[in-house]
Amino acid sequence: MTAVPSALAIDAGRLWSDILSTARIGAHGETGMNRLALSASDGEVRGWFAAECRALGCTIEVDGVGNMFATLPGTEPGLAAIAVGSHLDTQPAGGRFDGILGVLAGVEILRVLHAAGRRLRHPFTVINWTNEEGSRFSPAMMGSGVFCGVHDLETILARKDKDGVTVGEALSAIGYRGAHAPGHLPLAAYLELHIEQGPVLEAEGSAVGVVSGVQGLCWLDVRIRGTEAHAGAFPMNLRADALVSAAKVALAAEAVALKHLPGVATVGHIHAMPNSRNVVPGEVRLEIDMRHPEAVGLAAMEAALTAEIGRLVPGAEVSVVWRKAPVVFDAALRRVIRQEAEALGLSAIDMVSGAGHDAAHVAGRVPAAMIFIPSREGLSHNEREFSSPQQCAEGADLLLRSVLRADELHPERS
């Protein structure tokens, strides 16, 4: 199957203007973002998204977990939608591109189609998924998980943030607890444009990444108990210092990952109690994130680290918070992306995503694929996160052309 010519192209200046203007909603510092899921600023940017898409001829649907679907009707009745999307929520001190680029590129495609008076055969849908980041509410990729049946809606609606506010209450507060049942919209294919969030594309000098899949992950919580004691009066050789034991666990996580490359392991959160300078810590809780592109590698890492924790810290409590198997994206869509990158003169490499994305859930339900563009210095979840106007436009152009090809590739009817 060969690439097809397209007279349609992204307006780079218009896309960049949207990135800068929407970044004012929940701005943090000079270039950062603090637009937590289901916050007032999230509600504001959702309003912007809905208004822009309605003006371009779309219907707007919202499901029970707040996922938003802006759909431009197709020309052939009965076809399922070709969808693009990502998320508009951010980390508490995140950047202007993570997730946001994928949604705004979808809006830009709607504008291009509208200006050309063109409709696809399939309905074309731009999706804003709820709470991809997982910063305010757990788990991450919440909205896509509910849509795809990975999570139960009622269970998710009862989840609370650190202030005791439930997902359901937060949705109602901003007016986005929708009436549609999750999973209501039939999809023929899903494509997601995203910044890489790592240094590979920049190091390779490649314009885009054709994402072959997403690493599997395992989250462990570890609870270590020691004995609180006076920091000055209790001898070193008699102490049961929970933080010292926790340090051994952190080093063990690093060692296990290094033995199972390309796996990675991170101790991202430590809470020591009573957390006082002059008290020997009596309890420490660790949160560990492990990832590997292969299921067998991930399982080996989990088994090795669990065994090592048991050896180093007898009595430590280890619980699995979340497991997600590695995801492989649709081969036909990946082929389309590579062909269209070549047609645009964009250098491309195949790569596995180290981060989780909504596309990983969607891929379990319909054909899905992802496009990456470079992140300067590999930074993400950081106020300095940056991709250039040209890089954003190149990714969006590739997304547009891939959508046009997918429209011909997928004849499935709903």
Side-chain angles (χ1 to χ4, degrees), residues 38 65 137 142 156-159 165-172:
L38 311 184
V65 76
F137 299 101
M142 177 183 284
I156 290 299
L157 291 176
R159 291 292 179 92
V165 178
T166 68
V167 170
E169 290 167 344
L171 282 167
S172 296

Side-chain angles (χ1 to χ4, degrees), residues 227-239:
T227 302
E228 293 175 17
H230 192 289
F234 214 85
M236 294 296 293
N237 63 325
L238 298 178
R239 293 185 179 190

Side-chain angles (χ1 to χ4, degrees), residues 344-355:
L344 287 168
L346 300 176
S347 56
I349 60 172
D350 294 320
M351 58 193 309
V352 175
S353 174

